[in-house]
Amino acid sequence: MNALTVPPTAVASATVQRRRRRLRARRAALVGWLSCTPAAIVILVLVWFGVASTIQHSFTNWNGFSADWVGMKNYVDIFASGDFFERFRTNLVFLASLPVLLVFCVSVAVVIYDHIPGWRFFRSVYYIPTVLSSAVVGMIVAVLFAPRGAINTFLGRVGLESLAQDWLGRTDTALGVLLMAFFWQSLGQGVLVFLAGLSTISPEIIEAASVDGAGWWRRLFTILLPLLAPTSAYFLLTNVVYVLVDLFSLVYVTTQGGPGGTTTPVDYTIYLKAFQEGNLGAASALSVVLLVIVFACSWFQLRLIDRIGE
Amino acid sequence: MRKKNGPARWGISGLLAVLAVAALAPLLYMITTSFRTLQEFASDPLALPATLNPENYIGLSSRFDVVQLIGNTAAYAGVALVICMTIAIPASYALAKLRFRGATLLFVGIVATMGVPMISILVPDYLLFVQLGFEDSPVGVIGMWVARALPSTIFLIASVLRALPDELIEAATLDGAGYFRRMRSIVIPLGLPGIVTASIFNITGWWNDLLVPLVFLQSDDKQTLNAGVATIGQRMVTSDVPQTVTGLLVSSTVPIILYVILQGNIRKGLVMGSVK
Amino acid sequence: MSGPLVFWSGYSTSDSNNKSKKPQDFWISQATARFTQKTGIQVKMETLPGDATMFTKIRTAAIAGKGPDLASVWSGSYMLSIKEALEPMAPYFSDDERSKLSGWAAVTDGFDPTQKDKILGVPNGSDGPMICLCNNTLMSKAGVDPTQWPVSYDEWMGDLDKIKATGVMPLSLGDASFIYYLYNTWLAQAVGGSVGIGQLATGARNFSDPEVLDATNKWLAVRPYAFNGAPTTKDGQAVQQLYTGKASMVVGGATSIGEFRKQLGDAAVVAKLPDISSSVPHGMTVGGTGVGFIVSKTSKNKQAAVDYIKFLLSADEQQAFANSLDPGPLAGRTDMSDVYKEPLLNQLQKWGSEDTVAFWPDNTLQADLVNELANQAQLAWGGQISATEFLSRLDKKRDTLK
């Protein structure tokens, strides 16, 4: 059969089919857009309008009551003041810890998935700290690590007096304590996410990476982690955003940004500039800079997710 | 996966047990601290309470109408949840299942919204609500909560729905089922674990929120539990750690109870792609 | 009048020592009830957080023009950060009424109350001076008599040596007392009081000046005489060392007196900090009016709000407040003295109204500078930076703010 011998009805069908496809596509587009409209409206009005207002105010010296145009001054202050990286140091430290957190959560998830003794109990218990607010987590940690708090008292009692120190009074140990609180809070969420991811992998492969036998660690890395890539991507995306944008509540209660302001993440700085100093213009500029960074990270990660999904 | 439990497995179990203690111990510490007086606590932060002294709980309930605060928070969270899901589910379905121009852009835009710090938009949004006449109203709190939760909710539910086999939905469409029928009979039931998971994540986040209720609500009787409890601390007055701990603990009970009840659903919800 | 008076109150309605006391049992609630009975004006009282988030709430409300009719907030630079939203108070007070209250400088833009149009609040009592709360028994065992204080710095350090030799830690300091009370006292002394602090803020004077450096070094020299980890210890925890006999004194103020007396009984003695040098006005302390009432410019009930303020600050009500022992400021009326049953409080109130009280430096300096001061002080106290570096960073910060 060739085109010349194709019966006329078949050709008409093709056109009708094309038209039907286009109609279906248009219907889908209509349904699609209508489904998304309420969400788009809420997000546009309540978030992006605020962002636009922030961008506009970043070029002024707004203090809430009056706003004079100052051009790029706020941005110049941020980039030329020489402490740009210091501002982001706390965020960067947390970012750098994410791979460790990832491996930690995956390991625990794998082991629980493998039904080691007590797995049901562990699965439940690890999530409880995640359910607590950052204020609670921060307070617990601050009370435990106070100079005469529980940890130092305990160390004194077991004869490890020399290890007792001013945990929150030195930047490195303060960051360590904060990271510990962050891990404590995030373990449960990570385990749950990876348990879900593991259930999408065929049991035989998991069998191959079971806990018994030598080389378990290596098998984890070479077999399981690549298969868990989509889950890891989801986990990393949500946690990267959290680490860049939401550390305020934890730090506020634990170290108040100290010692000497060295554990102050950027969103805390924004809070201080806006509400303590009343310099809402500078706070807006810093917000914009943070936004750009977060978008860059997220876009990069979404592209990765897309590529993995193929 | 029933396995024989050899020494290696028990060893790992032991390690996990240590981890579990680390996960629970601080919480237990808070509970024991809440039953101690300030003097007891200051003289020995590690000791167990001498007696089960309820004075901090009395202090909390004398100072606040705890029931009212819990009621407020639950009401706001409930309304916010209904609104959030009503908006998020159709959007998630569309972005996960329907192929149309601009879907990717929309999706990226929505996910990008997750990266906007709440602090940055606090003042502009409050001004907006004031202009609409809601300067001291739950409407402001609910609106902000919905806005905050929508992006991550859509992200989560869309991921769950994406794993659903298309055939099921197409079969329903060919059957002549309209949009809302499809939602009600197919999408929601199948996506329910994801919806429940997102609900729990959202309620936990809203329950623990401090700044939004603080700014958007001006009357004490409309306040949420967490924001109300935060007013305990005072300038230049000795910090009463057991009292503060008690306030935070009471405030945490609801998320914990919610989690304990709905544990199974969270796990089912995150299982992406195991619906056969 | 349109609707009830909306009052955002910073008055605490929870008492650590009596946990079953309900908000309506506190003086502020009862005084308000008396006011309503007398004038028929309803007052709707809402609480403010007691920490810095108070200003997040007030500032945002003020920006939106939806602030309360009146509020009770931290004085000085804290409240002046929203000065555009505050109603000037001078027109509402006669000269006679003004003279009966102390602390107007703390609520005036520029801290000079002779410039009447710049008075933007009403002073609410006084925090009193920050002083040493001493355990007389432990001190006399070491041969030290705090009732003879204030002495010179060198003599005081000698006293600390004597105390330490008996095996007792002389000082217990916390995150507020080591800087806001102790350091700021000597800083104020070094620059000659409030005027000097104001000069530090404008740049007419530098932190790196020799007298400030001298005071800073002397402050750092106190470290061996205090427990480790002051910047990360809450004051509430630090003071427990005094009560359990492990330390012989803390630096604090009137709010601690109640518990202080309860714990130490007759051994409870208050004394001023030493003079940092011989050129300092003898017995200079820091403190003053830490809290003030403000009335919103957008309020529709300004006169009623002021009437309410005057009622709360009246002699009768201030006496009732003093009798209640509720947490709050000391009575700041110039026509009242010896209002308290507790002699220590009367002593503090007397000291608090002397000329040698320098107004809180952290309520005078710009907020960002105060933040920097606290941050760098923590590093200096921890030995991570030198005194010179500490002060030069403060100068640098101040210069960027001009």
Side-chain angles (χ1 to χ4, degrees):
Chain A
M1 210 144 64
N2 60 32
L4 290 175
T5 59
V6 167
T9 45
V11 171
S13 290
T15 327
V16 169
Q17 265 180 37
R18 259 201 312 276
R19 205 178 303 150
R20 235 184 256 146
R21 257 201 306 276
R22 242 177 307 163
L23 260 170
R24 227 195 335 245
R26 225 177 296 163
R27 265 269 305 283
L30 190 66
V31 171
W33 277 98
L34 276 180
S35 303
C36 294
T37 304
I41 291 179
V42 170
I43 291 179
L44 271 173
V45 169
L46 288 181
V47 181
W48 290 99
F49 161 72
V51 172
S53 169
T54 302
I55 295 178
Q56 190 236 321
H57 281 120
S58 70
F59 296 107
T60 70
N61 64 358
W62 193 40
N63 66 355
F65 304 103
S66 60
D68 296 319
W69 187 262
V70 294
M72 297 292 292
K73 175 173 182 306
N74 291 324
Y75 290 100
V76 168
D77 283 342
I78 293 174
F79 289 106
S81 62
D83 59 0
F84 183 71
F85 280 112
E86 259 149 59
R87 282 193 205 280
F88 282 91
R89 175 167 57 173
T90 309
N91 299 85
L92 287 174
V93 166
F94 272 78
L95 262 180
S97 76
L98 285 181
V100 176
L101 181 65
L102 180 86
V103 171
F104 184 40
C105 292
V106 171
S107 315
V108 174
V110 165
V111 151
I112 290 181
Y113 197 77
D114 204 27
H115 290 206
I116 53 132
W119 63 275
R120 262 187 259 267
F121 173 68
F122 296 134
R123 192 177 56 178
S124 306
V125 158
Y126 292 148
Y127 196 69
I128 290 189
T130 312
V131 159
L132 301 174
S133 71
S134 293
V136 178
V137 174
M139 158 135 251
I140 294 178
V141 163
V143 166
L144 287 177
F145 285 91
R148 257 165 301 284
I151 299 274
N152 281 345
T153 314
F154 176 73
L155 286 175
R157 297 236 181 102
V158 298
L160 286 171
E161 183 83 34
S162 54
L163 282 182
Q165 53 181 296
D166 188 6
W167 301 96
L168 299 175
R170 287 182 41 200
T171 309
D172 45 1
T173 49
L175 279 173
V177 168
L178 282 173
L179 279 175
M180 212 198 65
F182 172 57
F183 272 42
W184 188 68
Q185 217 187 1
S186 312
L187 173 66
Q189 172 229 101
V191 164
L192 278 175
V193 166
F194 283 110
L195 278 179
L198 282 169
S199 62
T200 67
I201 303 179
S202 81
E204 296 87 46
I205 305 188
I206 308 240
E207 189 77 32
S210 79
V211 176
D212 300 334
W216 177 77
W217 202 247
R218 192 171 34 91
R219 267 178 286 143
L220 180 76
F221 273 92
T222 53
I223 306 181
L224 276 184
L225 267 181
L227 283 173
L228 282 171
T231 320
S232 305
Y234 171 82
F235 177 78
L236 281 177
L237 182 75
T238 42
N239 280 296
V240 163
V241 169
Y242 177 79
V243 155
L244 287 175
V245 153
D246 227 342
L247 287 177
F248 171 69
S249 357
L250 182 64
V251 174
Y252 179 68
V253 181
T254 316
T255 62
Q256 287 86 53
T262 49
T263 60
T264 308
V266 177
D267 62 322
Y268 196 168
T269 313
I270 294 175
Y271 168 81
L272 287 175
K273 281 208 182 299
F275 295 106
Q276 200 182 68
E277 284 171 56
N279 192 347
L280 288 145
S284 301
L286 199 53
S287 301
V288 172
V289 171
L290 181 62
L291 267 170
V292 169
I293 294 180
V294 172
F295 288 172
C297 289
S298 308
W299 180 79
F300 183 61
Q301 285 182 288
L302 273 178
R303 288 287 301 272
L304 267 172
I305 293 182
D306 257 350
R307 244 184 320 140
I308 293 172
E310 279 145 28
Chain B
M1 253 189 282
R2 294 285 155 244
K3 305 203 91 129
K4 238 180 46 191
N5 289 323
R9 296 173 65 78
W10 280 102
I12 307 256
S13 204
L15 278 175
L16 284 201
V18 172
L19 210 56
V21 169
L24 280 183
L27 198 59
L28 292 173
Y29 182 65
M30 276 182 83
I31 295 178
T32 55
T33 304
S34 72
F35 286 108
R36 310 178 71 200
T37 65
L38 178 56
Q39 280 70 40
E40 267 184 76
F41 178 75
S43 58
D44 187 350
L46 259 193
L48 288 175
T51 58
L52 272 181
N53 189 341
E55 73 165 29
N56 291 315
Y57 291 92
I58 294 177
L60 193 68
S61 63
S62 301
R63 171 71 181 80
F64 298 105
D65 187 349
V66 179
V67 173
Q68 183 185 49
L69 293 180
I70 293 184
N72 288 345
T73 318
Y76 305 161
V79 172
L81 188 66
V82 169
I83 296 179
C84 181
M85 286 308 163
T86 312
I87 298 179
I89 294 177
S92 311
Y93 165 65
L95 290 170
K97 283 299 169 195
L98 299 178
R99 262 156 278 285
F100 58 98
R101 243 206 320 227
T104 331
L105 188 65
L106 208 54
F107 188 65
V108 168
I110 287 177
V111 171
T113 314
M114 279 167 65
V116 177
M118 188 59 37
I119 289 182
S120 308
I121 55 174
L122 200 66
V123 176
D125 277 355
Y126 183 62
L127 291 175
L128 176 68
F129 277 99
V130 165
Q131 273 177 348
L132 294 174
F134 293 117
E135 67 266 10
D136 176 22
S137 165
V139 171
V141 174
I142 292 173
M144 292 302 282
W145 281 357
V146 169
R148 219 243 308 266
L150 264 180
S152 50
T153 306
I154 294 179
F155 190 39
L156 178 63
I157 298 183
S159 310
V160 170
L161 289 179
R162 205 171 271 168
L164 284 182
D166 293 346
E167 300 87 54
L168 273 169
I169 301 173
E170 278 175 19
T173 323
L174 285 172
D175 260 350
Y179 181 79
F180 288 105
R181 253 279 291 277
R182 256 182 289 155
M183 282 286 139
R184 245 196 356 245
S185 355
I186 312 273
V187 174
I188 293 184
L190 286 177
L192 193 62
I195 295 172
V196 171
T197 306
S199 303
I200 293 170
F201 284 176
N202 287 343
I203 292 189
T204 309
W206 295 335
W207 193 272
N208 293 327
D209 184 19
L210 178 60
L211 280 185
V212 167
L214 186 69
V215 169
F216 284 72
L217 291 173
Q218 300 184 344
S219 306
D220 280 355
D221 53 4
K222 294 185 192 158
Q223 198 50 272
T224 63
L225 184 58
N226 234 358
V229 165
T231 62
I232 279 188
Q234 286 293 315
R235 173 176 179 262
M236 290 190 68
V237 174
T238 59
S239 54
D240 190 346
V241 172
Q243 179 69 74
T244 319
V245 162
T246 309
L248 288 173
L249 200 60
V250 168
S251 170
S252 305
T253 48
V254 169
I256 292 181
I257 291 176
L258 200 64
Y259 163 67
V260 165
I261 295 178
L262 295 168
Q263 268 186 75
N265 290 287
I266 301 183
R267 285 194 293 278
K268 269 191 260 168
L270 283 176
V271 171
M272 305 188 253
S274 74
V275 178
K276 296 285 178 273
Chain C
M1 261 213 59
S2 58
L5 214 50
V6 175
F7 172 37
W8 287 5
S9 160
Y11 282 96
S12 167
T13 47
S14 65
D15 188 348
S16 280
N17 296 313
N18 181 2
K19 306 240 167 160
S20 46
K21 199 166 174 186
K22 292 196 186 308
Q24 51 263 43
D25 299 328
F26 283 79
W27 165 78
I28 184 67
S29 309
Q30 297 180 333
T32 305
R34 289 193 279 269
F35 175 72
T36 303
Q37 201 177 31
K38 178 165 161 219
T39 61
I41 301 177
Q42 296 286 334
V43 177
K44 190 160 177 269
M45 207 162 58
E46 315 286 2
T47 40
L48 282 174
D51 61 1
T53 53
M54 155 201 303
F55 281 93
T56 310
K57 186 171 181 129
I58 288 213
R59 176 183 295 276
T60 317
I63 293 175
K66 292 292 172 186
D69 288 307
L70 74 152
S72 169
V73 296
W74 297 350
S75 65
S77 52
Y78 296 101
M79 80 179 222
L80 291 173
S81 68
I82 49 168
K83 62 183 176 192
E84 291 88 347
L86 306 180
E87 173 79 1
M89 286 285 101
Y92 295 87
F93 286 81
S94 69
D95 285 340
D96 181 56
E97 283 174 321
R98 238 199 338 270
S99 66
K100 294 238 165 56
L101 298 172
S102 65
W104 288 96
V107 295
T108 307
D109 185 13
F111 304 108
D112 178 7
T114 59
Q115 302 199 303
K116 293 219 238 9
D117 54 331
K118 293 210 160 65
I119 298 179
L120 296 174
V122 184
N124 184 1
S126 162
D127 295 326
M130 290 303 112
I131 38 72
C132 304
L133 288 89
C134 309
N135 183 332
N136 203 10
T137 317
L138 285 179
M139 285 194 174
S140 39
K141 243 187 252 169
V144 171
D145 185 4
T147 60
Q148 300 303 310
W149 291 355
V151 292
S152 73
Y153 174 80
D154 292 325
E155 284 175 69
W156 191 69
M157 291 298 273
D159 284 340
L160 296 191
D161 267 321
K162 287 190 205 152
I163 298 171
K164 199 160 184 199
T166 65
V168 172
M169 184 59 87
L171 270 166
S172 178
L173 295 170
D175 59 350
S177 51
F178 94 104
I179 164 109
Y180 293 109
Y181 311 164
L182 182 62
Y183 182 63
N184 280 356
T185 300
W186 287 339
L187 178 67
Q189 284 184 355
V191 298
S194 310
V195 175
I197 300 284
Q199 288 171 337
L200 284 173
T202 59
R205 208 188 253 274
N206 279 324
F207 287 94
S208 312
D209 287 346
E211 60 271 9
V212 178
L213 180 59
D214 180 55
T216 310
N217 281 324
K218 287 184 170 149
W219 168 68
L220 290 174
V222 173
R223 279 175 299 177
Y225 299 96
F227 283 113
N228 209 13
T232 48
T233 307
K234 292 268 172 282
D235 268 75
Q237 302 308 114
V239 77
Q240 300 297 326
Q241 305 296 326
L242 175 69
Y243 299 155
T244 53
K246 300 210 183 79
S248 71
M249 79 175 119
V250 298
V251 180
T255 50
S256 315
I257 295 293
E259 188 64 23
F260 180 47
R261 175 64 89 186
K262 199 164 98 176
Q263 294 284 340
L264 293 183
D266 290 329
V269 162
V270 297
K272 289 184 181 177
L273 282 165
D275 299 330
I276 200 82
S277 76
S278 49
S279 50
V280 161
H282 184 59
M284 176 178 277
T285 55
V286 281
T289 298
V291 180
F293 287 105
I294 55 172
V295 175
S296 293
K297 230 185 211 150
T298 53
S299 163
K300 299 199 177 52
N301 305 312
K302 293 182 192 143
Q303 186 58 57
V306 176
D307 290 338
Y308 177 56
I309 294 173
K310 288 185 185 171
F311 181 78
L312 290 177
L313 294 177
S314 66
D316 287 338
E317 285 301 335
Q318 287 294 297
Q319 183 65 61
F321 183 41
N323 294 342
S324 73
L325 294 178
D326 285 349
L330 292 172
R333 291 189 63 92
T334 54
D335 56 355
M336 285 171 86
S337 65
D338 289 324
V339 298
Y340 296 97
K341 296 197 200 79
E342 168 59 68
L344 290 176
L345 285 176
N346 290 328
Q347 174 67 270
L348 289 182
Q349 199 207 0
K350 224 172 269 161
W351 281 344
S353 48
E354 286 172 358
D355 287 333
T356 50
V357 176
F359 180 53
W360 291 107
D362 64 300
N363 291 43
T364 314
L365 300 171
Q366 304 92 317
D368 205 10
L369 186 54
V370 172
N371 217 27
E372 184 73 359
L373 180 71
N375 286 343
Q376 300 306 326
Q378 185 175 16
L379 295 176
W381 187 267
Q384 284 143 302
I385 56 173
S386 68
T388 336
E389 177 64 24
F390 167 38
L391 296 173
S392 80
R393 285 187 189 182
L394 293 182
D395 278 324
K396 225 187 314 178
K397 185 56 146 187
R398 190 264 330 275
D399 292 335
T400 65
L401 293 175
K402 276 195 292 178

